[in-house]
Amino acid sequence: MNQFSAYEILLVACSVVIVSYLFSVIHRLTRIPSVLLLLGVGIGLRYLADVSGVQLRIPPATVEVLGTLGLIMIVLEAGLDLEVRRNNLKTMGNALRSAAIILLLSTMGVAALIKKWIPEADWLQAIVYALPLCVVSSAIVLPSVHHLSEDKREFLVYEAAFSDVIGIMLFNFLTAQTIIELADVLRFLGSIPAAILLSIFICFGLMWLLVNNRANTKFFLVFAVLTLIYMGGKGLQLPSLLTILLFGLVINNWEWISWPPLKRFFSDMEVNQMASFLKSITAETAFVVRTFFFLFFGYSIDLSLLNDADVLLLGSSIVLALLALRFLYLRILHRYELLPELFYFPRGLITVLLFYKIPAAFQLIRFNEGVLFFVVLSTSAFMMVGALLYRDHPQERDYGARSEEPAENLTALE
């Protein structure tokens, strides 16, 4: 393995960040997802490394750590971007139903395809492999909806955020044990209200920490606490992502809180300042984490796997099934518009992270990881097609521009 000096590593890292920023600008001009560009750079670097004989191995733990940090940042960023208003409660309800129903239908449909392709797999194994492939990536959707009208933008942002949270909660539950009984299901459902109640106390505790901490290291202290909560909740089989999401939601929608004792502890001015600070630093940190995650993921893609006929056939079947089920729900059950919502079903960070977290007891030797690469690339390409076909250019504020804080521009970066 080639050895690189600290200066060379810093040079490459800074160049990657600059290139990623340029990609976000290109995305706004051309609607080509910056994720595809980052993946393309990673794939190109892998090809050049193979041709030149340079052996650079990225430890799987590095990608996993980046994925976990990115997951927490994405959920927090989504909570800080979601506005709860009386006139958008219906949109939130529609997005929640869409995320839950499409996720469940897609998981069962893809599991059936995997079961047919690999007959020796049991249904639980097939579902565990299917679930990551059915989670919509908010890491790709959030920066890609700036050109849409407000109602379409809100629906897609809510849907992606709910899909992430529901998908991760189900995955953690399904992989906690190899045999699932009715008591386990009831325990899981009962843990959700308990997690919400616990999240409320944790949320106000973190707010108190932010307001009363006079040091300049507020954010990363809170982020460290959120990371510990996520890891601890996962170990206790609690949906701890709800805590992170609710934390962002409460701060961003403080005007809904009218209980006088809380208003005495946290003034509107303090909370608004906190929200502006968190939005800015969260957007910047998420940008950096996503940049390196997708670059490393692109570098890890072995293009030879995509030449496998089985990979192309199974991958195409999965993508078409995802598209068909989304069409059926949006057009027939929900009676929603198809353009561009039909094409906004990219798979990305969450899909990759969950796929590589499948426990050994559930792993299928015959499942080729080239299928994962194919689904991620294909669904991102479909989203690009949908963005290009949608010709409406509303003259409204960009996504995330609810105030004049620095996060206005940074939210669009990937």
Side-chain angles (χ1 to χ4, degrees):
M1 178 177 177
N2 297 70
Q3 297 294 323
F4 297 94
S5 67
Y7 293 103
E8 291 173 329
I9 294 174
L10 286 174
L11 177 64
V12 172
C14 293
S15 301
V16 167
V17 172
I18 294 172
V19 169
S20 180
Y21 177 82
L22 293 177
F23 284 168
S24 69
V25 175
I26 292 173
H27 162 68
R28 283 187 170 268
L29 296 175
T30 65
R31 301 184 185 176
I32 299 174
S34 52
V35 166
L36 280 180
L37 298 175
L38 284 170
L39 289 174
V41 170
I43 293 172
L45 291 175
R46 171 67 177 268
Y47 175 78
L48 291 176
D50 291 341
V51 170
S52 60
V54 176
Q55 296 181 356
L56 177 60
R57 180 180 176 272
I58 300 174
T62 302
V63 179
E64 185 176 348
V65 169
L66 282 174
T68 302
L69 294 177
L71 165 64
I72 297 171
M73 296 302 307
I74 288 166
V75 174
L76 178 58
E77 186 180 22
L80 291 170
D81 280 325
L82 296 180
E83 277 191 333
V84 179
R85 304 185 303 273
R86 287 186 176 87
N87 61 352
N88 74 352
L89 290 177
K90 182 178 179 181
T91 300
M92 292 185 65
N94 290 336
L96 177 58
R97 284 193 298 273
S98 175
I101 294 175
I102 291 178
L103 177 64
L104 294 176
L105 291 177
S106 300
T107 299
M108 297 310 298
V110 174
L113 288 174
I114 294 175
K115 187 78 171 63
K116 183 177 180 180
W117 198 264
I118 308 176
E120 63 270 22
D122 59 45
W123 272 105
L124 185 55
Q125 285 179 303
I127 290 173
V128 167
Y129 268 81
L131 187 55
L133 299 173
C134 298
V135 177
V136 177
S137 174
S138 60
I140 302 177
V141 171
L142 262 66
S144 305
V145 294
H146 62 277
H147 64 285
L148 303 180
S149 59
E150 185 173 0
D151 58 334
K152 292 177 180 290
R153 182 167 62 240
E154 286 185 340
F155 174 80
L156 290 171
V157 168
Y158 291 142
E159 183 192 34
F162 290 140
S163 180
D164 280 355
V165 174
I166 296 172
I168 294 166
M169 286 168 52
L170 287 176
F171 181 86
N172 289 338
F173 167 69
L174 292 173
T175 56
Q177 48 202 4
T178 55
I179 299 177
I180 298 176
E181 299 177 349
L182 179 59
D184 300 316
V185 177
L186 296 176
R187 190 181 306 111
F188 171 72
L189 295 176
S191 69
I192 295 177
I196 293 176
L197 184 62
L198 181 62
S199 298
I200 294 174
F201 291 101
I202 294 175
C203 176
F204 291 121
L206 290 173
M207 288 178 62
W208 182 88
L209 186 62
L210 277 172
V211 170
N212 292 278
N213 183 8
R214 302 305 174 188
N216 294 323
T217 55
K218 295 181 180 180
F219 172 75
F220 285 103
L221 175 60
V222 171
F223 182 68
V225 174
L226 289 174
T227 303
L228 289 176
I229 290 171
Y230 170 73
M231 301 304 295
K234 183 180 177 184
L236 296 173
Q237 299 181 28
L238 289 174
S240 52
L241 276 180
L242 286 177
T243 303
I244 301 171
L245 183 64
L246 287 174
F247 176 61
L249 278 172
V250 169
I251 291 179
N252 198 44
N253 299 276
W254 184 249
E255 64 274 11
W256 283 81
I257 305 295
S258 58
W259 195 34
L262 285 177
K263 289 293 186 179
R264 286 199 298 268
F265 276 104
F266 310 105
S267 67
D268 290 347
M269 183 182 69
E270 288 176 329
V271 176
N272 289 335
Q273 290 176 346
M274 189 195 323
S276 298
F277 168 74
L278 283 176
K279 287 178 184 178
S280 176
I281 195 71
T282 300
E284 294 190 38
T285 307
F287 162 67
V288 174
V289 171
R290 285 186 297 220
T291 292
F292 285 98
F293 177 86
F294 284 111
L295 181 71
F296 289 163
F297 177 61
Y299 185 86
S300 67
I301 293 177
D302 185 357
L303 291 180
S304 64
L305 296 176
L306 299 180
N307 293 326
D308 190 318
D310 291 341
V311 167
L312 296 178
L313 185 57
L314 180 56
S316 299
S317 300
I318 290 173
V319 173
L320 291 176
L322 295 173
L323 186 64
L325 289 169
R326 187 168 179 81
F327 172 84
L328 290 174
Y329 177 83
L330 292 178
R331 191 60 176 173
I332 298 177
L333 296 179
H334 187 51
R335 298 186 182 276
Y336 208 81
E337 295 181 23
L338 292 178
L339 195 64
E341 288 85 348
L342 174 64
F343 298 100
Y344 272 70
F345 66 115
R347 273 53 179 165
L349 187 150
I350 305 298
T351 295
V352 176
L353 179 63
L354 295 184
F355 183 85
Y356 287 114
K357 280 182 172 291
I358 296 176
F362 294 90
Q363 289 181 4
L364 298 171
I365 298 177
R366 285 187 54 195
F367 192 93
N368 194 323
E369 67 175 2
V371 175
L372 170 71
F373 303 150
F374 183 89
V375 171
V376 171
L377 295 173
S378 298
T379 53
S380 297
F382 267 109
M383 191 191 74
M384 180 181 67
V385 170
L388 293 173
L389 291 177
Y390 184 72
R391 292 298 179 184
D392 188 12
H393 299 272
Q395 299 299 319
E396 10 178 299
R397 57 180 170 77
D398 280 349
Y399 164 71
R402 288 191 292 276
S403 60
E404 296 181 356
E405 72 269 16
E408 176 179 355
N409 294 325
L410 292 170
T411 303
L413 301 182
E414 175 129 354

